[in-house]
Amino acid sequence: MLLIRCPWCGDRDEVEFRYGGQADVAYPTDPHELDDAEWGNFLFVRANPMGALTERWVHTAGCRRWFSVVRDTATNEMTPDIPRRRESR
Amino acid sequence: MTVLHRVETDLAEADTATAAPRHSPLEHRGAEFERATALGPRGVRLREEPFLTQLNLRVPPDDAVSEAVAEALDLTPPAANKVSGDEGRALLWLGPDEWLLVAEEERARGALRAVRSAQQDASGSSVDVSANRTTLRLAGPAAREVLEKVCSLDLHPRAFSVGDCAQTLLGRTVAVLWQVGPDPEYRVLVRCSFAEYLADLLLDAMAEFLEG
Ligand SMILES: [Zn+2]
């Protein structure tokens, strides 16, 4: 079981959280400009590095706030994504 | 947060004298709780504290409005994961912009009106959620051991003590956990529809402390 640090509540069991996928996926400026392949890329294609990935998590069973962390996908080691912390309510 | 919600549900202001008799989710289990009471140095007891008034308050953090709201309630703004006030009338921290007022009915009269006049036109909300949860009270020297069986938080006094609160999982249900006394004594606020489940879970965890 992972121990995940909620920026508000502190260390909690993984089961209290839900995963929100890769962070910082920007919405297209003009979706109508996109062809089907580009729209499909925006919807479904995400980075899949072996190493650091910035992710969204939500503390579902606690304060119900969204926040970002940088997770090493090889080791599951998590570090807070500090600059985003307070905007992620 | 720019949307202004003013839900006009106002249970706290309702005239309860003319209302139909109320029923709490665990009212039929009082005798069972009584029988499960364990006495002595490893004692623990469980009971329901029904009908506490609960107001969910969304207030902008680090803001004059949050100060004004707390002042209107004659309480201080709670620090993160803490409770301000006494157990008869308290503000629980639920999030960076969210508090829960928990108070005995008599001490909650006019609270919603006071909060709303303090909020004025600022963003946020104030909603009476008294019917959302009921309250279980778990007390006695073994209360912490009982809770630890169903909760993954560190409840040792070095990490969790009187005046602390947390929203967390107890078994499979979400609850608001609040330590009200050093004995230790806890209040557990749980959704009405999960109250039976949580009561079953706690009674099972208490069984080993019952003598004989
Ligand atoms: Zn949290």
Short mmCIF file of all heavy atoms in Angstrom, two decimals, chain B residues 25-85:
data_model
loop_
_atom_site.label_atom_id
_atom_site.label_comp_id
_atom_site.label_asym_id
_atom_site.label_seq_id
_atom_site.Cartn_x
_atom_site.Cartn_y
_atom_site.Cartn_z
N PRO B 25 -30.86 7.58 13.04
CA PRO B 25 -30.56 6.31 12.38
C PRO B 25 -30.29 5.15 13.33
O PRO B 25 -30.49 4.00 12.98
CB PRO B 25 -29.30 6.62 11.56
CG PRO B 25 -29.25 8.10 11.45
CD PRO B 25 -29.96 8.66 12.63
N LEU B 26 -29.82 5.45 14.55
CA LEU B 26 -29.42 4.37 15.45
C LEU B 26 -30.28 4.31 16.71
O LEU B 26 -29.90 3.68 17.70
CB LEU B 26 -27.94 4.52 15.82
CG LEU B 26 -26.98 4.44 14.64
CD1 LEU B 26 -25.56 4.82 15.06
CD2 LEU B 26 -26.98 3.04 14.02
N GLU B 27 -31.43 4.96 16.69
CA GLU B 27 -32.23 5.06 17.92
C GLU B 27 -32.69 3.69 18.43
O GLU B 27 -32.87 3.51 19.62
CB GLU B 27 -33.43 5.98 17.71
CG GLU B 27 -34.42 5.46 16.69
CD GLU B 27 -35.60 6.41 16.49
OE1 GLU B 27 -35.56 7.54 17.00
OE2 GLU B 27 -36.56 6.01 15.81
N HIS B 28 -32.81 2.72 17.52
CA HIS B 28 -33.30 1.41 17.93
C HIS B 28 -32.18 0.52 18.48
O HIS B 28 -32.40 -0.63 18.81
CB HIS B 28 -33.96 0.71 16.74
CG HIS B 28 -33.04 0.56 15.57
ND1 HIS B 28 -32.58 1.63 14.85
CD2 HIS B 28 -32.47 -0.53 15.02
CE1 HIS B 28 -31.77 1.21 13.88
NE2 HIS B 28 -31.69 -0.11 13.98
N ARG B 29 -30.95 1.07 18.54
CA ARG B 29 -29.83 0.22 18.97
C ARG B 29 -29.25 0.63 20.32
O ARG B 29 -28.19 0.15 20.72
CB ARG B 29 -28.75 0.22 17.88
CG ARG B 29 -29.35 -0.19 16.54
CD ARG B 29 -28.33 -0.57 15.53
NE ARG B 29 -27.53 -1.73 15.94
CZ ARG B 29 -26.62 -2.28 15.15
NH1 ARG B 29 -26.42 -1.79 13.95
NH2 ARG B 29 -25.92 -3.31 15.56
N GLY B 30 -29.97 1.52 21.01
CA GLY B 30 -29.48 2.01 22.30
C GLY B 30 -29.21 0.89 23.30
O GLY B 30 -28.17 0.87 23.95
N ALA B 31 -30.14 -0.05 23.41
CA ALA B 31 -29.99 -1.14 24.38
C ALA B 31 -28.79 -2.02 24.03
O ALA B 31 -28.04 -2.46 24.90
CB ALA B 31 -31.27 -1.99 24.41
N GLU B 32 -28.59 -2.22 22.73
CA GLU B 32 -27.46 -3.01 22.26
C GLU B 32 -26.13 -2.33 22.62
O GLU B 32 -25.18 -2.97 23.07
CB GLU B 32 -27.59 -3.15 20.74
CG GLU B 32 -26.81 -4.27 20.13
CD GLU B 32 -26.99 -4.29 18.62
OE1 GLU B 32 -28.00 -3.74 18.12
OE2 GLU B 32 -26.10 -4.82 17.96
N PHE B 33 -26.07 -1.02 22.43
CA PHE B 33 -24.87 -0.25 22.80
C PHE B 33 -24.61 -0.39 24.30
O PHE B 33 -23.47 -0.56 24.73
CB PHE B 33 -25.04 1.23 22.45
CG PHE B 33 -25.10 1.53 20.98
CD1 PHE B 33 -25.51 2.78 20.52
CD2 PHE B 33 -24.71 0.58 20.04
CE1 PHE B 33 -25.56 3.07 19.16
CE2 PHE B 33 -24.75 0.86 18.68
CZ PHE B 33 -25.18 2.10 18.24
N GLU B 34 -25.70 -0.33 25.06
CA GLU B 34 -25.60 -0.43 26.52
C GLU B 34 -24.97 -1.77 26.91
O GLU B 34 -24.06 -1.83 27.73
CB GLU B 34 -27.03 -0.31 27.11
CG GLU B 34 -27.09 0.23 28.51
CD GLU B 34 -26.51 1.63 28.63
OE1 GLU B 34 -26.86 2.51 27.81
OE2 GLU B 34 -25.69 1.82 29.55
N ARG B 35 -25.48 -2.86 26.29
CA ARG B 35 -24.98 -4.20 26.61
C ARG B 35 -23.52 -4.38 26.20
O ARG B 35 -22.80 -5.19 26.75
CB ARG B 35 -25.83 -5.27 25.90
CG ARG B 35 -27.18 -5.51 26.52
CD ARG B 35 -27.81 -6.81 26.00
NE ARG B 35 -27.99 -6.81 24.55
CZ ARG B 35 -29.05 -6.28 23.93
NH1 ARG B 35 -30.00 -5.69 24.63
NH2 ARG B 35 -29.16 -6.33 22.62
N ALA B 36 -23.08 -3.62 25.22
CA ALA B 36 -21.71 -3.78 24.71
C ALA B 36 -20.70 -2.98 25.53
O ALA B 36 -19.50 -3.04 25.27
CB ALA B 36 -21.65 -3.35 23.25
N THR B 37 -21.20 -2.22 26.52
CA THR B 37 -20.30 -1.38 27.32
C THR B 37 -19.35 -2.25 28.15
O THR B 37 -19.78 -3.14 28.87
CB THR B 37 -21.12 -0.47 28.27
OG1 THR B 37 -21.95 0.36 27.48
CG2 THR B 37 -20.20 0.37 29.13
N ALA B 38 -18.08 -1.99 28.01
CA ALA B 38 -17.07 -2.69 28.80
C ALA B 38 -16.56 -1.75 29.88
O ALA B 38 -16.26 -0.59 29.59
CB ALA B 38 -15.93 -3.15 27.91
N LEU B 39 -16.49 -2.23 31.10
CA LEU B 39 -16.05 -1.38 32.21
C LEU B 39 -14.60 -1.68 32.56
O LEU B 39 -14.00 -2.61 32.03
CB LEU B 39 -16.95 -1.61 33.43
CG LEU B 39 -18.46 -1.35 33.17
CD1 LEU B 39 -19.29 -1.85 34.35
CD2 LEU B 39 -18.71 0.12 32.91
N GLY B 40 -14.06 -0.89 33.48
CA GLY B 40 -12.73 -1.17 33.99
C GLY B 40 -11.63 -0.48 33.21
O GLY B 40 -11.89 0.34 32.33
N PRO B 41 -10.38 -0.84 33.54
CA PRO B 41 -9.23 -0.15 32.95
C PRO B 41 -9.10 -0.38 31.44
O PRO B 41 -8.37 0.34 30.77
CB PRO B 41 -8.03 -0.73 33.71
CG PRO B 41 -8.51 -2.03 34.26
CD PRO B 41 -9.98 -1.86 34.52
N ARG B 42 -9.78 -1.42 30.91
CA ARG B 42 -9.79 -1.64 29.46
C ARG B 42 -11.22 -1.48 28.94
O ARG B 42 -11.64 -2.17 28.02
CB ARG B 42 -9.24 -3.02 29.12
CG ARG B 42 -7.80 -3.22 29.61
CD ARG B 42 -6.87 -3.67 28.54
NE ARG B 42 -7.29 -4.86 27.83
CZ ARG B 42 -6.97 -5.11 26.57
NH1 ARG B 42 -6.24 -4.24 25.90
NH2 ARG B 42 -7.37 -6.21 25.98
N GLY B 43 -11.91 -0.53 29.54
CA GLY B 43 -13.32 -0.35 29.20
C GLY B 43 -13.51 0.53 27.97
O GLY B 43 -12.62 1.28 27.56
N VAL B 44 -14.69 0.41 27.37
CA VAL B 44 -15.05 1.25 26.23
C VAL B 44 -16.57 1.25 26.11
O VAL B 44 -17.23 0.25 26.40
CB VAL B 44 -14.37 0.75 24.93
CG1 VAL B 44 -14.76 -0.69 24.62
CG2 VAL B 44 -14.71 1.65 23.76
N ARG B 45 -17.12 2.38 25.75
CA ARG B 45 -18.58 2.44 25.56
C ARG B 45 -18.92 3.26 24.32
O ARG B 45 -18.18 4.16 23.93
CB ARG B 45 -19.27 3.00 26.81
CG ARG B 45 -18.86 4.41 27.14
CD ARG B 45 -19.32 4.81 28.56
NE ARG B 45 -18.88 6.18 28.85
CZ ARG B 45 -17.65 6.48 29.26
NH1 ARG B 45 -16.73 5.54 29.42
NH2 ARG B 45 -17.32 7.74 29.47
N LEU B 46 -20.05 2.89 23.73
CA LEU B 46 -20.50 3.51 22.49
C LEU B 46 -21.92 4.02 22.68
O LEU B 46 -22.74 3.35 23.28
CB LEU B 46 -20.46 2.48 21.35
CG LEU B 46 -20.89 2.92 19.95
CD1 LEU B 46 -19.89 3.91 19.37
CD2 LEU B 46 -21.03 1.70 19.03
N ARG B 47 -22.17 5.21 22.19
CA ARG B 47 -23.58 5.66 22.15
C ARG B 47 -23.76 6.63 21.00
O ARG B 47 -22.78 7.15 20.46
CB ARG B 47 -24.00 6.27 23.48
CG ARG B 47 -23.31 7.56 23.86
CD ARG B 47 -23.86 8.04 25.22
NE ARG B 47 -23.06 9.14 25.76
CZ ARG B 47 -23.31 10.42 25.50
NH1 ARG B 47 -24.30 10.77 24.72
NH2 ARG B 47 -22.55 11.37 26.04
N GLU B 48 -25.03 6.85 20.66
CA GLU B 48 -25.33 7.80 19.60
C GLU B 48 -25.64 9.16 20.21
O GLU B 48 -26.28 9.23 21.26
CB GLU B 48 -26.53 7.33 18.76
CG GLU B 48 -26.77 8.22 17.54
CD GLU B 48 -28.10 7.92 16.84
OE1 GLU B 48 -28.96 7.26 17.42
OE2 GLU B 48 -28.25 8.39 15.70
N GLU B 49 -25.15 10.21 19.60
CA GLU B 49 -25.54 11.56 19.98
C GLU B 49 -26.32 12.15 18.81
O GLU B 49 -25.73 12.78 17.93
CB GLU B 49 -24.31 12.43 20.23
CG GLU B 49 -23.54 12.12 21.48
CD GLU B 49 -22.42 13.14 21.70
OE1 GLU B 49 -21.34 12.94 21.14
OE2 GLU B 49 -22.65 14.12 22.42
N PRO B 50 -27.62 11.92 18.78
CA PRO B 50 -28.38 12.30 17.59
C PRO B 50 -28.69 13.79 17.55
O PRO B 50 -28.59 14.49 18.56
CB PRO B 50 -29.68 11.50 17.75
CG PRO B 50 -29.85 11.35 19.22
CD PRO B 50 -28.46 11.32 19.82
N PHE B 51 -29.02 14.27 16.39
CA PHE B 51 -29.60 15.59 16.16
C PHE B 51 -28.69 16.77 16.50
O PHE B 51 -29.15 17.83 16.87
CB PHE B 51 -30.93 15.74 16.93
CG PHE B 51 -31.90 14.62 16.68
CD1 PHE B 51 -32.51 13.96 17.74
CD2 PHE B 51 -32.17 14.19 15.38
CE1 PHE B 51 -33.41 12.91 17.50
CE2 PHE B 51 -33.06 13.15 15.14
CZ PHE B 51 -33.68 12.51 16.21
N LEU B 52 -27.38 16.58 16.41
CA LEU B 52 -26.51 17.75 16.52
C LEU B 52 -26.71 18.59 15.26
O LEU B 52 -26.83 18.06 14.16
CB LEU B 52 -25.05 17.33 16.65
CG LEU B 52 -24.63 16.62 17.95
CD1 LEU B 52 -23.18 16.19 17.88
CD2 LEU B 52 -24.86 17.54 19.14
N THR B 53 -26.73 19.88 15.44
CA THR B 53 -26.85 20.76 14.27
C THR B 53 -25.50 20.84 13.57
O THR B 53 -24.46 21.01 14.21
CB THR B 53 -27.31 22.16 14.72
OG1 THR B 53 -28.60 22.05 15.31
CG2 THR B 53 -27.38 23.11 13.53
N GLN B 54 -25.53 20.68 12.25
CA GLN B 54 -24.29 20.77 11.47
C GLN B 54 -24.50 21.74 10.31
O GLN B 54 -25.41 21.57 9.51
CB GLN B 54 -23.92 19.40 10.90
CG GLN B 54 -23.63 18.36 11.99
CD GLN B 54 -23.71 16.95 11.45
OE1 GLN B 54 -23.02 16.58 10.51
NE2 GLN B 54 -24.59 16.15 12.03
N LEU B 55 -23.63 22.72 10.23
CA LEU B 55 -23.67 23.67 9.12
C LEU B 55 -22.37 23.55 8.35
O LEU B 55 -21.28 23.68 8.92
CB LEU B 55 -23.82 25.12 9.61
CG LEU B 55 -25.00 25.45 10.53
CD1 LEU B 55 -25.02 26.95 10.82
CD2 LEU B 55 -26.31 25.01 9.91
N ASN B 56 -22.49 23.29 7.05
CA ASN B 56 -21.31 23.24 6.21
C ASN B 56 -21.04 24.64 5.67
O ASN B 56 -21.90 25.24 5.04
CB ASN B 56 -21.51 22.26 5.06
CG ASN B 56 -20.25 22.08 4.26
OD1 ASN B 56 -19.92 22.90 3.41
ND2 ASN B 56 -19.51 21.02 4.51
N LEU B 57 -19.84 25.14 5.96
CA LEU B 57 -19.51 26.51 5.58
C LEU B 57 -18.35 26.51 4.60
O LEU B 57 -17.29 25.94 4.89
CB LEU B 57 -19.13 27.33 6.82
CG LEU B 57 -20.10 27.25 8.01
CD1 LEU B 57 -19.55 28.03 9.19
CD2 LEU B 57 -21.46 27.78 7.61
N ARG B 58 -18.55 27.12 3.45
CA ARG B 58 -17.43 27.32 2.53
C ARG B 58 -17.03 28.78 2.64
O ARG B 58 -17.81 29.68 2.34
CB ARG B 58 -17.86 26.99 1.09
CG ARG B 58 -18.31 25.55 0.89
CD ARG B 58 -17.24 24.52 1.20
NE ARG B 58 -16.07 24.62 0.36
CZ ARG B 58 -15.85 23.87 -0.72
NH1 ARG B 58 -16.73 22.99 -1.11
NH2 ARG B 58 -14.74 24.01 -1.43
N VAL B 59 -15.83 28.99 3.11
CA VAL B 59 -15.34 30.35 3.31
C VAL B 59 -13.99 30.51 2.63
O VAL B 59 -13.16 29.61 2.68
CB VAL B 59 -15.20 30.68 4.81
CG1 VAL B 59 -16.55 30.85 5.45
CG2 VAL B 59 -14.41 29.61 5.53
N PRO B 60 -13.76 31.63 1.96
CA PRO B 60 -12.46 31.82 1.31
C PRO B 60 -11.35 31.79 2.36
O PRO B 60 -11.51 32.37 3.42
CB PRO B 60 -12.56 33.21 0.67
CG PRO B 60 -14.00 33.58 0.74
CD PRO B 60 -14.62 32.81 1.85
N PRO B 61 -10.25 31.06 2.09
CA PRO B 61 -9.17 30.99 3.07
C PRO B 61 -8.40 32.31 3.14
O PRO B 61 -8.40 33.08 2.19
CB PRO B 61 -8.27 29.88 2.54
CG PRO B 61 -8.55 29.85 1.07
CD PRO B 61 -9.95 30.35 0.85
N ASP B 62 -7.73 32.54 4.26
CA ASP B 62 -6.88 33.73 4.46
C ASP B 62 -7.61 34.99 4.02
O ASP B 62 -7.13 35.76 3.21
CB ASP B 62 -5.56 33.61 3.67
CG ASP B 62 -4.97 32.23 3.80
OD1 ASP B 62 -4.98 31.72 4.92
OD2 ASP B 62 -4.52 31.67 2.79
N ASP B 63 -8.75 35.21 4.56
CA ASP B 63 -9.57 36.28 4.05
C ASP B 63 -10.33 36.93 5.19
O ASP B 63 -10.62 36.29 6.20
CB ASP B 63 -10.55 35.70 3.02
CG ASP B 63 -11.22 36.76 2.19
OD1 ASP B 63 -12.19 37.35 2.68
OD2 ASP B 63 -10.76 36.99 1.07
N ALA B 64 -10.68 38.19 5.00
CA ALA B 64 -11.44 38.90 6.03
C ALA B 64 -12.80 38.23 6.25
O ALA B 64 -13.35 38.26 7.35
CB ALA B 64 -11.63 40.35 5.62
N VAL B 65 -13.34 37.61 5.18
CA VAL B 65 -14.66 36.98 5.30
C VAL B 65 -14.62 35.82 6.29
O VAL B 65 -15.51 35.66 7.13
CB VAL B 65 -15.15 36.48 3.93
CG1 VAL B 65 -16.52 35.82 4.07
CG2 VAL B 65 -15.23 37.63 2.94
N SER B 66 -13.55 35.00 6.22
CA SER B 66 -13.48 33.86 7.14
C SER B 66 -13.39 34.35 8.59
O SER B 66 -13.98 33.76 9.49
CB SER B 66 -12.32 32.94 6.78
OG SER B 66 -11.09 33.60 6.92
N GLU B 67 -12.64 35.43 8.79
CA GLU B 67 -12.58 36.02 10.14
C GLU B 67 -13.97 36.48 10.59
O GLU B 67 -14.38 36.24 11.72
CB GLU B 67 -11.62 37.23 10.13
CG GLU B 67 -10.16 36.88 9.90
CD GLU B 67 -9.49 36.35 11.16
OE1 GLU B 67 -10.05 36.56 12.26
OE2 GLU B 67 -8.42 35.71 11.04
N ALA B 68 -14.67 37.14 9.67
CA ALA B 68 -15.99 37.67 10.01
C ALA B 68 -16.97 36.55 10.32
O ALA B 68 -17.78 36.66 11.25
CB ALA B 68 -16.51 38.54 8.87
N VAL B 69 -16.89 35.46 9.54
CA VAL B 69 -17.79 34.32 9.76
C VAL B 69 -17.52 33.70 11.13
O VAL B 69 -18.45 33.43 11.91
CB VAL B 69 -17.62 33.26 8.64
CG1 VAL B 69 -18.32 31.97 9.02
CG2 VAL B 69 -18.18 33.79 7.33
N ALA B 70 -16.25 33.50 11.44
CA ALA B 70 -15.90 32.92 12.74
C ALA B 70 -16.37 33.84 13.87
O ALA B 70 -16.90 33.38 14.89
CB ALA B 70 -14.41 32.67 12.83
N GLU B 71 -16.18 35.13 13.68
CA GLU B 71 -16.56 36.08 14.70
C GLU B 71 -18.08 36.09 14.90
O GLU B 71 -18.57 36.19 16.03
CB GLU B 71 -16.05 37.48 14.32
CG GLU B 71 -15.89 38.39 15.52
CD GLU B 71 -15.42 39.77 15.10
OE1 GLU B 71 -14.37 39.86 14.45
OE2 GLU B 71 -16.13 40.75 15.41
N ALA B 72 -18.81 35.97 13.78
CA ALA B 72 -20.27 35.94 13.87
C ALA B 72 -20.74 34.76 14.70
O ALA B 72 -21.81 34.78 15.31
CB ALA B 72 -20.88 35.89 12.47
N LEU B 73 -19.93 33.69 14.72
CA LEU B 73 -20.27 32.50 15.50
C LEU B 73 -19.65 32.54 16.88
O LEU B 73 -19.78 31.60 17.66
CB LEU B 73 -19.80 31.25 14.75
CG LEU B 73 -20.51 30.96 13.44
CD1 LEU B 73 -19.76 29.90 12.64
CD2 LEU B 73 -21.94 30.52 13.70
N ASP B 74 -18.92 33.61 17.16
CA ASP B 74 -18.22 33.77 18.42
C ASP B 74 -17.21 32.63 18.63
O ASP B 74 -17.06 32.09 19.73
CB ASP B 74 -19.22 33.83 19.58
CG ASP B 74 -18.62 34.50 20.80
OD1 ASP B 74 -17.61 35.22 20.62
OD2 ASP B 74 -19.13 34.29 21.92
N LEU B 75 -16.55 32.25 17.55
CA LEU B 75 -15.53 31.21 17.60
C LEU B 75 -14.30 31.70 16.85
O LEU B 75 -14.37 32.68 16.12
CB LEU B 75 -16.05 29.92 16.95
CG LEU B 75 -17.18 29.19 17.69
CD1 LEU B 75 -17.85 28.17 16.79
CD2 LEU B 75 -16.63 28.49 18.94
N THR B 76 -13.19 31.01 17.04
CA THR B 76 -11.99 31.39 16.28
C THR B 76 -11.87 30.47 15.07
O THR B 76 -12.29 29.31 15.12
CB THR B 76 -10.71 31.27 17.14
OG1 THR B 76 -10.70 29.98 17.75
CG2 THR B 76 -10.68 32.33 18.22
N PRO B 77 -11.29 30.95 13.96
CA PRO B 77 -11.13 30.08 12.78
C PRO B 77 -10.26 28.89 13.15
O PRO B 77 -9.20 29.04 13.75
CB PRO B 77 -10.40 30.99 11.78
CG PRO B 77 -10.64 32.39 12.23
CD PRO B 77 -10.76 32.30 13.73
N PRO B 78 -10.71 27.68 12.82
CA PRO B 78 -9.92 26.49 13.18
C PRO B 78 -8.68 26.36 12.30
O PRO B 78 -8.72 26.64 11.10
CB PRO B 78 -10.88 25.33 12.91
CG PRO B 78 -11.84 25.85 11.90
CD PRO B 78 -11.95 27.33 12.10
N ALA B 79 -7.57 25.95 12.91
CA ALA B 79 -6.36 25.66 12.13
C ALA B 79 -6.57 24.35 11.37
O ALA B 79 -7.51 23.60 11.66
CB ALA B 79 -5.16 25.55 13.06
N ALA B 80 -5.70 24.08 10.41
CA ALA B 80 -5.84 22.88 9.59
C ALA B 80 -5.89 21.63 10.46
O ALA B 80 -5.08 21.45 11.38
CB ALA B 80 -4.67 22.78 8.61
N ASN B 81 -6.87 20.77 10.19
CA ASN B 81 -7.07 19.51 10.91
C ASN B 81 -7.35 19.68 12.41
O ASN B 81 -7.13 18.76 13.19
CB ASN B 81 -5.86 18.58 10.72
CG ASN B 81 -5.60 18.29 9.25
OD1 ASN B 81 -6.44 17.72 8.57
ND2 ASN B 81 -4.45 18.70 8.74
N LYS B 82 -7.85 20.88 12.76
CA LYS B 82 -8.14 21.17 14.18
C LYS B 82 -9.59 21.61 14.35
O LYS B 82 -10.29 21.91 13.39
CB LYS B 82 -7.23 22.30 14.68
CG LYS B 82 -5.74 22.00 14.62
CD LYS B 82 -5.31 21.18 15.81
CE LYS B 82 -3.82 20.88 15.73
NZ LYS B 82 -3.40 19.87 16.69
N VAL B 83 -9.97 21.66 15.62
CA VAL B 83 -11.30 22.10 15.99
C VAL B 83 -11.16 23.31 16.90
O VAL B 83 -10.29 23.33 17.77
CB VAL B 83 -12.03 20.96 16.76
CG1 VAL B 83 -13.42 21.41 17.19
CG2 VAL B 83 -12.12 19.71 15.90
N SER B 84 -12.01 24.32 16.71
CA SER B 84 -12.04 25.43 17.68
C SER B 84 -13.39 25.41 18.39
O SER B 84 -14.38 24.91 17.86
CB SER B 84 -11.79 26.76 16.98
OG SER B 84 -12.94 27.18 16.28
N GLY B 85 -13.40 25.94 19.60
CA GLY B 85 -14.62 25.95 20.39
C GLY B 85 -14.67 24.76 21.33
O GLY B 85 -13.68 24.06 21.52
#
